[in-house]
Short mmCIF file of all heavy atoms in Angstrom, two decimals:
data_model
loop_
_atom_site.label_atom_id
_atom_site.label_comp_id
_atom_site.label_asym_id
_atom_site.label_seq_id
_atom_site.Cartn_x
_atom_site.Cartn_y
_atom_site.Cartn_z
N GLY A 87 -7.99 45.40 37.78
CA GLY A 87 -9.19 45.07 38.49
C GLY A 87 -9.07 44.91 39.98
O GLY A 87 -9.97 44.97 40.74
N ARG A 88 -7.80 44.62 40.35
CA ARG A 88 -7.45 44.52 41.74
C ARG A 88 -6.78 45.74 42.33
O ARG A 88 -6.25 46.52 41.64
CB ARG A 88 -6.51 43.34 41.91
CG ARG A 88 -7.12 41.96 41.59
CD ARG A 88 -6.09 40.83 41.80
NE ARG A 88 -5.69 40.69 43.18
CZ ARG A 88 -6.35 39.95 44.11
NH1 ARG A 88 -7.46 39.22 43.72
NH2 ARG A 88 -6.02 39.90 45.37
N ARG A 89 -6.81 45.84 43.62
CA ARG A 89 -6.16 46.88 44.34
C ARG A 89 -4.87 46.28 44.96
O ARG A 89 -4.94 45.19 45.49
CB ARG A 89 -6.89 47.52 45.45
CG ARG A 89 -8.19 48.19 44.96
CD ARG A 89 -8.92 49.00 46.07
NE ARG A 89 -10.10 49.68 45.55
CZ ARG A 89 -10.07 50.88 45.00
NH1 ARG A 89 -8.90 51.52 44.88
NH2 ARG A 89 -11.19 51.42 44.56
N SER A 90 -3.72 47.00 44.75
CA SER A 90 -2.50 46.32 45.14
C SER A 90 -1.42 47.47 45.46
O SER A 90 -1.13 48.22 44.62
CB SER A 90 -1.99 45.44 44.04
OG SER A 90 -0.56 45.03 44.27
N ASP A 91 -0.88 47.41 46.71
CA ASP A 91 0.14 48.30 47.01
C ASP A 91 1.41 48.00 46.20
O ASP A 91 2.18 48.96 45.76
CB ASP A 91 0.48 48.22 48.47
CG ASP A 91 -0.61 48.84 49.35
OD1 ASP A 91 -1.39 49.59 48.88
OD2 ASP A 91 -0.58 48.51 50.60
N ALA A 92 1.63 46.73 45.87
CA ALA A 92 2.77 46.35 45.09
C ALA A 92 2.73 46.97 43.68
O ALA A 92 3.71 47.52 43.21
CB ALA A 92 2.91 44.73 45.03
N ALA A 93 1.59 46.88 43.13
CA ALA A 93 1.40 47.41 41.76
C ALA A 93 1.55 48.96 41.80
O ALA A 93 2.14 49.53 40.82
CB ALA A 93 0.06 47.12 41.20
N PHE A 94 1.04 49.55 42.80
CA PHE A 94 1.15 51.05 43.01
C PHE A 94 2.63 51.47 43.09
O PHE A 94 3.12 52.44 42.37
CB PHE A 94 0.43 51.52 44.27
CG PHE A 94 0.67 52.96 44.57
CD1 PHE A 94 0.01 53.97 43.91
CD2 PHE A 94 1.55 53.31 45.57
CE1 PHE A 94 0.26 55.28 44.15
CE2 PHE A 94 1.80 54.66 45.92
CZ PHE A 94 1.19 55.62 45.19
N HIS A 95 3.40 50.75 43.90
CA HIS A 95 4.81 51.01 44.03
C HIS A 95 5.58 50.80 42.70
O HIS A 95 6.50 51.53 42.40
CB HIS A 95 5.40 50.24 45.22
CG HIS A 95 4.89 50.76 46.53
ND1 HIS A 95 5.13 52.02 46.98
CD2 HIS A 95 4.29 50.13 47.51
CE1 HIS A 95 4.56 52.18 48.20
NE2 HIS A 95 4.05 51.02 48.52
N ARG A 96 5.19 49.72 42.03
CA ARG A 96 5.88 49.42 40.78
C ARG A 96 5.55 50.54 39.78
O ARG A 96 6.50 51.06 38.98
CB ARG A 96 5.44 48.12 40.16
CG ARG A 96 6.08 47.72 38.89
CD ARG A 96 7.61 47.58 38.96
NE ARG A 96 8.15 46.98 37.85
CZ ARG A 96 9.44 47.07 37.47
NH1 ARG A 96 10.27 47.81 38.24
NH2 ARG A 96 9.93 46.43 36.43
N ALA A 97 4.36 51.08 39.73
CA ALA A 97 3.95 52.12 38.79
C ALA A 97 4.72 53.41 39.20
O ALA A 97 5.32 54.11 38.34
CB ALA A 97 2.52 52.39 38.91
N ARG A 98 4.79 53.70 40.47
CA ARG A 98 5.59 54.89 40.91
C ARG A 98 7.10 54.77 40.52
O ARG A 98 7.72 55.72 40.09
CB ARG A 98 5.45 55.01 42.37
CG ARG A 98 6.14 56.37 42.87
CD ARG A 98 5.68 56.64 44.33
NE ARG A 98 6.21 55.60 45.26
CZ ARG A 98 6.08 55.66 46.54
NH1 ARG A 98 5.31 56.62 47.14
NH2 ARG A 98 6.47 54.68 47.34
N GLU A 99 7.67 53.59 40.69
CA GLU A 99 9.06 53.33 40.38
C GLU A 99 9.27 53.57 38.91
O GLU A 99 10.36 54.14 38.51
CB GLU A 99 9.44 51.89 40.68
CG GLU A 99 10.92 51.60 40.39
CD GLU A 99 11.23 50.13 40.64
OE1 GLU A 99 10.35 49.26 40.32
OE2 GLU A 99 12.33 49.84 41.21
N LEU A 100 8.35 53.19 38.05
CA LEU A 100 8.49 53.38 36.59
C LEU A 100 7.95 54.73 36.15
O LEU A 100 7.86 54.97 34.89
CB LEU A 100 7.72 52.25 35.89
CG LEU A 100 8.30 50.83 36.05
CD1 LEU A 100 7.36 49.83 35.43
CD2 LEU A 100 9.68 50.69 35.48
N GLU A 101 7.56 55.64 37.05
CA GLU A 101 7.06 56.97 36.75
C GLU A 101 5.92 56.91 35.86
O GLU A 101 5.69 57.75 34.93
CB GLU A 101 8.24 57.83 36.14
CG GLU A 101 9.37 57.99 37.04
CD GLU A 101 10.48 58.83 36.44
OE1 GLU A 101 11.20 58.33 35.59
OE2 GLU A 101 10.58 60.04 36.86
N ILE A 102 5.03 55.95 36.12
CA ILE A 102 3.73 55.84 35.46
C ILE A 102 2.69 56.59 36.28
O ILE A 102 2.30 56.14 37.37
CB ILE A 102 3.32 54.31 35.27
CG1 ILE A 102 4.28 53.59 34.37
CG2 ILE A 102 1.90 54.32 34.68
CD1 ILE A 102 4.02 52.11 34.26
N THR A 103 2.28 57.66 35.77
CA THR A 103 1.30 58.56 36.56
C THR A 103 -0.14 58.12 36.38
O THR A 103 -1.01 58.59 37.11
CB THR A 103 1.50 59.95 36.19
OG1 THR A 103 1.26 60.20 34.80
CG2 THR A 103 2.91 60.43 36.50
N ARG A 104 -0.43 57.43 35.27
CA ARG A 104 -1.83 56.97 35.02
C ARG A 104 -2.00 55.55 35.52
O ARG A 104 -1.81 54.60 34.77
CB ARG A 104 -2.15 57.20 33.49
CG ARG A 104 -1.94 58.65 33.08
CD ARG A 104 -2.31 58.88 31.60
NE ARG A 104 -1.92 60.27 31.27
CZ ARG A 104 -2.60 61.33 31.51
NH1 ARG A 104 -3.75 61.19 32.20
NH2 ARG A 104 -2.26 62.52 31.12
N PHE A 105 -2.36 55.47 36.75
CA PHE A 105 -2.52 54.18 37.46
C PHE A 105 -3.94 54.01 37.91
O PHE A 105 -4.40 54.85 38.83
CB PHE A 105 -1.48 54.06 38.57
CG PHE A 105 -1.64 52.83 39.40
CD1 PHE A 105 -1.23 51.58 38.91
CD2 PHE A 105 -2.23 52.93 40.75
CE1 PHE A 105 -1.31 50.52 39.74
CE2 PHE A 105 -2.42 51.75 41.50
CZ PHE A 105 -1.93 50.50 41.01
N TYR A 106 -4.61 53.00 37.53
CA TYR A 106 -6.02 52.80 37.90
C TYR A 106 -6.17 51.45 38.46
O TYR A 106 -5.78 50.42 37.89
CB TYR A 106 -6.96 52.91 36.65
CG TYR A 106 -6.87 54.23 35.96
CD1 TYR A 106 -5.80 54.46 35.02
CD2 TYR A 106 -7.71 55.26 36.19
CE1 TYR A 106 -5.72 55.63 34.34
CE2 TYR A 106 -7.59 56.44 35.55
CZ TYR A 106 -6.63 56.62 34.63
OH TYR A 106 -6.47 57.80 33.94
N GLU A 107 -6.74 51.29 39.69
CA GLU A 107 -6.90 50.06 40.34
C GLU A 107 -8.33 49.84 40.81
O GLU A 107 -9.06 50.76 40.93
CB GLU A 107 -5.92 49.91 41.50
CG GLU A 107 -6.05 50.93 42.60
CD GLU A 107 -5.07 50.75 43.73
OE1 GLU A 107 -4.40 49.78 43.79
OE2 GLU A 107 -4.91 51.77 44.49
N GLY A 108 -8.78 48.61 41.06
CA GLY A 108 -10.10 48.32 41.44
C GLY A 108 -11.09 48.62 40.34
O GLY A 108 -12.27 48.96 40.59
N VAL A 109 -10.67 48.53 39.08
CA VAL A 109 -11.43 48.88 37.95
C VAL A 109 -12.41 47.81 37.53
O VAL A 109 -11.96 46.59 37.37
CB VAL A 109 -10.53 49.29 36.74
CG1 VAL A 109 -11.38 49.60 35.51
CG2 VAL A 109 -9.75 50.48 37.13
N ARG A 110 -13.63 48.04 37.40
CA ARG A 110 -14.57 47.09 36.87
C ARG A 110 -14.96 47.34 35.46
O ARG A 110 -15.28 46.42 34.70
CB ARG A 110 -15.85 47.16 37.69
CG ARG A 110 -15.66 46.57 39.16
CD ARG A 110 -15.33 45.02 39.06
NE ARG A 110 -14.97 44.54 40.38
CZ ARG A 110 -13.78 44.34 40.74
NH1 ARG A 110 -12.75 44.69 39.90
NH2 ARG A 110 -13.41 43.86 41.93
N ASP A 111 -14.90 48.57 34.99
CA ASP A 111 -15.21 48.88 33.62
C ASP A 111 -13.96 49.59 32.94
O ASP A 111 -13.69 50.77 33.00
CB ASP A 111 -16.42 49.89 33.57
CG ASP A 111 -16.84 50.23 32.16
OD1 ASP A 111 -16.20 49.81 31.20
OD2 ASP A 111 -17.86 50.95 32.01
N LYS A 112 -13.19 48.71 32.26
CA LYS A 112 -11.89 49.25 31.65
C LYS A 112 -12.23 50.17 30.42
O LYS A 112 -11.42 51.07 30.16
CB LYS A 112 -11.00 48.04 31.20
CG LYS A 112 -10.50 47.28 32.45
CD LYS A 112 -9.47 46.30 32.00
CE LYS A 112 -8.89 45.60 33.27
NZ LYS A 112 -7.79 44.64 32.98
N VAL A 113 -13.37 49.97 29.76
CA VAL A 113 -13.72 50.82 28.66
C VAL A 113 -13.95 52.29 29.16
O VAL A 113 -13.55 53.25 28.50
CB VAL A 113 -14.88 50.30 27.86
CG1 VAL A 113 -15.36 51.30 26.84
CG2 VAL A 113 -14.54 48.95 27.20
N ALA A 114 -14.53 52.44 30.30
CA ALA A 114 -14.76 53.75 30.91
C ALA A 114 -13.48 54.46 31.13
O ALA A 114 -13.26 55.69 30.89
CB ALA A 114 -15.53 53.63 32.18
#
Side-chain angles (χ1 to χ4, degrees):
R88 297 179 62 90
R89 295 186 180 276
S90 166
D91 289 342
F94 171 79
H95 290 300
R96 183 58 169 160
R98 186 171 62 179
E99 179 184 41
L100 295 174
E101 300 180 286
I102 297 173
T103 58
R104 302 185 186 278
F105 174 77
Y106 303 84
E107 59 181 347
V109 175
R110 289 293 171 263
D111 184 355
K112 294 190 176 184
V113 172

